[in-house]
Amino acid sequence: MSTITIAQNSAHPLTVNRLGYGTMRLTGPEIWGEPTNRPEALQILRTAVELGVNFIDTADYYGEDVTNRLIAEALYPYPQDLVICTKVGATRRPDKSWVPFNTPENLRTSIDNNLRTLRQEQIQLVHLRLMGHGPVPLDEQLRAMFEMQREGKILHVGLSNVTREELETGLALGPIATVENMYSYAQRTTVQLPHGANPGGEEVLDLCEQHGIPLIPFFSLIHGLPKAGNKIAEIAQKHNATEAQINIAWLLHKSPWILPIPGTSSLAHFRENLAAATFHLSPEDIAYLG
């Protein structure tokens, strides 16, 4: 498995294997509550680390706190090379809606909660998840994040769900280590979802490459497969692979700065997804997929 370096020009770069795991699907229905199969959820996390995955993505609003608690239960004390990445800037209401939680006080509350539930003294990478700024300007949110970075609560700051303009604003305010946007073979640009707009990875990929910033795609399988069409299916048949595997392989081949984190609640599917890192798509395959 190839590697990628986060914050390569900083005093504390993080090098991780280039297929991570996103934990969102370990929760119950609608990303809420305990997993349907708790033993399998814990086994996926343990198997991921055993098989070389050392980048795990979570958030305290998954559950709420469900994935953080599962990670700590399964993996604490953590392997030295494991990078746990979380997100702040949003929260959930009792009706399961997703709403901004992005004042400086909100962000500090979220960071302290993540530190507690993950049993950490410092979080290696935190994405500020943008859900519409409301009355809180982006610069105010980011300055709060950089303040907590100076305090040592956060090692590196990233941005999630950002437009190109917002990324440029962030880069002008301080070091942005990573970007986490929706991105898949079939869904490359901005899409409107019930809880708001999701900017696409392709809209910021070149900017990430210019600055040496890893792009971490989310929803890469959920939104990628239903619309992928016959081309993904044809390449999957050629390689005796699943369509999900080809979607992941396409992301890995698209740019060395992409760090996929496909999520699943099935151990069997997790193993299939991980195998995608071994697939070699030819230049002809890539050209055909477009």
Side-chain angles (χ1 to χ4, degrees), residues 103-199:
T103 69
E105 295 76 19
N106 293 157
L107 297 173
R108 186 170 291 273
T109 296
S110 293
I111 290 295
D112 287 342
N113 188 51
N114 276 281
L115 288 167
R116 178 181 58 82
T117 54
L118 289 169
R119 303 185 199 175
Q120 291 184 312
E121 295 182 0
Q122 181 185 67
I123 301 175
Q124 295 144 300
L125 176 62
V126 182
H127 286 116
L128 173 60
R129 176 51 153 95
L130 304 186
M131 295 191 64
H133 309 308
V136 189
L138 174 57
D139 61 346
E140 186 175 335
Q141 297 177 56
L142 261 179
R143 287 191 176 100
M145 298 293 289
F146 291 136
E147 176 62 27
M148 287 185 282
Q149 185 180 40
R150 286 189 292 272
E151 293 171 6
K153 292 176 181 282
I154 300 169
L155 183 60
H156 297 299
V157 173
L159 287 170
S160 177
N161 205 46
V162 291
T163 65
R164 188 180 186 89
E165 181 181 2
E166 288 166 338
L167 177 54
E168 290 171 339
T169 298
L171 288 167
L173 291 171
I176 302 301
T178 47
V179 170
E180 187 171 75
N181 269 23
M182 180 182 289
Y183 194 32
S184 70
Y185 172 74
Q187 188 60 61
R188 308 185 193 188
T189 55
T190 298
V191 61
Q192 289 287 337
L193 296 178
H195 56 268
N198 284 81

Side-chain angles (χ1 to χ4, degrees), residues 240-250 271-273 275-276 279:
N240 192 28
T242 68
E243 293 183 35
Q245 287 174 322
I246 297 303
N247 195 73
I248 296 166
W250 178 84
R271 291 182 182 276
E272 286 182 356
N273 291 344
F279 290 179

Side-chain angles (χ1 to χ4, degrees), residues 3-206:
T3 61
I4 192 169
T5 300
I6 296 165
Q8 60 177 349
N9 296 321
S10 75
H12 304 284
L14 303 170
T15 298
V16 297
N17 292 325
R18 203 165 147 251
L19 194 58
Y21 175 64
T23 62
M24 187 175 71
R25 291 292 153 189
L26 291 185
T27 60
E30 299 181 65
I31 325 301
W32 189 266
E34 297 294 328
T36 303
N37 188 333
R38 185 180 183 84
E40 185 170 26
L42 293 169
Q43 189 57 48
I44 290 170
L45 290 164
R46 294 180 180 126
T47 300
V49 170
E50 289 167 3
L51 296 181
V53 172
N54 59 358
F55 185 90
I56 293 179
D57 178 82
T58 184
D60 67 345
Y61 49 81
Y62 292 167
E64 299 173 316
D65 284 329
V66 168
T67 57
N68 281 8
R69 287 188 279 105
L70 289 170
I71 290 167
E73 181 178 344
L75 301 175
Y76 187 86
Y78 302 119
Q80 188 172 1
D81 68 339
L82 180 64
V83 174
I84 299 175
C85 166
T86 192
K87 287 176 289 299
V88 297
T91 191
R92 307 289 298 280
R93 288 178 173 156
D95 64 0
K96 302 181 186 178
S97 60
W98 305 72
V99 294
F101 194 68
N102 58 6
T103 69
E105 295 76 19
N106 293 157
L107 297 173
R108 186 170 291 273
T109 296
S110 293
I111 290 295
D112 287 342
N113 188 51
N114 276 281
L115 288 167
R116 178 181 58 82
T117 54
L118 289 169
R119 303 185 199 175
Q120 291 184 312
E121 295 182 0
Q122 181 185 67
I123 301 175
Q124 295 144 300
L125 176 62
V126 182
H127 286 116
L128 173 60
R129 176 51 153 95
L130 304 186
M131 295 191 64
H133 309 308
V136 189
L138 174 57
D139 61 346
E140 186 175 335
Q141 297 177 56
L142 261 179
R143 287 191 176 100
M145 298 293 289
F146 291 136
E147 176 62 27
M148 287 185 282
Q149 185 180 40
R150 286 189 292 272
E151 293 171 6
K153 292 176 181 282
I154 300 169
L155 183 60
H156 297 299
V157 173
L159 287 170
S160 177
N161 205 46
V162 291
T163 65
R164 188 180 186 89
E165 181 181 2
E166 288 166 338
L167 177 54
E168 290 171 339
T169 298
L171 288 167
L173 291 171
I176 302 301
T178 47
V179 170
E180 187 171 75
N181 269 23
M182 180 182 289
Y183 194 32
S184 70
Y185 172 74
Q187 188 60 61
R188 308 185 193 188
T189 55
T190 298
V191 61
Q192 289 287 337
L193 296 178
H195 56 268
N198 284 81
E202 195 139 294
E203 295 162 342
V204 297
L205 177 57
D206 66 315

